[in-house]
Amino acid sequence: MTYPPQDPAGQPGQYGPSQPGAQPPAGGYAPGQVGGESYPTTHLPSQQQYPGQAPQQYPGQAPQYDPAAGYQAQYPQYGAPPVQPNTKSSSSTILLVIGVVVLMAIGAFGGYYFLGDDEDATLADDDATVQDTPGGGEGEDETGGDQESEAPPAPSGTHLEVASLGSVTPIPGAEWQPAAGPGVASEPLADAELYQVNHTETWVSIFGVGLFSGAAAVFDPADLNASALSASEVWLGDGFSTVEGYQQSELTYTPVEVDGRPGVLAEWRNSWTASPDTTDLYEDTALLVVDVDGVNGFIGVASVSESGAALYDPAIEALLATDFDAEAA
């Protein structure tokens, strides 16, 4: 087969229609009018005043000023009281200003003295903290190493493993070479590891193991045949999309026990009449599904093209030899 399957933004708020211009109140101003409507006023009766006569006063009326007589006739006998310079107030103001300036100068000097000591001490503490930090470099952890995530595990060269299930499956033979993982996804396998045999530049046989991905296929511990059928449909995907005249045989189901756990081995043949990628005309596929613990499922795949037909049986044996209690996982 070919390589295995691997808020609208809302409209801006609209303002309501513009309101017509405010109309002047009745009797108020109108456009172009300088002032408002005039109203009659009430004037006091005119007063006749003779030379030397003080203006007539009405109760509550302020004394009037007589230009001819000079100062108002409020002090007719003694004249206006003289204005004395307030020398005491001026002296007090000057002394107060000088005192404020002196206090400000003292406060500024004291603040600089005390705060300066605190700032120097803070800087000294920060320097000491930086010098005492282990590692001493940005992007390093306490041991001086980089904080980057650890590299994914490399293939062991002796087995395939599914870390989430604690399983180990032996490699079927030296012809199989690492293809992906461990710990990759290749639907319907999750946390998977894959090996392959290259027959041409674009045509390979596949051997892999992984955690049954419930997001891609349906895993039912009570019906492993249906689980294997669901997984086979996902696995096939477009793996044979380049061939002509493709046909899939009916699946056969064989109940098995793997390391004391119930499972089923589903097998079928993929055949075609022509392909631009290979001269082979068929590929046999086996899919193993195991109920690991009543919740999680193990899945193993061996899909071997006609050119590697001798590799098929050893691949089935390797899948059935999976160990779920291996310490190497």
Side-chain angles (χ1 to χ4, degrees), residues 7 12 15 34 67 72 80 86 96 105 124 157 159 168 172 202 223 239 252 268 302:
D7 265 349
Y15 293 98
V34 176
Q72 292 190 16
N86 191 357
L96 178 61
H159 60 267
V168 169
T202 56
D223 192 345
T252 61
W268 71 93

Side-chain angles (χ1 to χ4, degrees), residues 149-157 159 161-164 178 180-184 191-193 195 328-329:
S149 59
E150 297 181 359
S156 65
H159 60 267
E161 65 181 75
V162 182
S164 56
V184 300
D191 192 18
E193 185 170 8
Y195 274 61

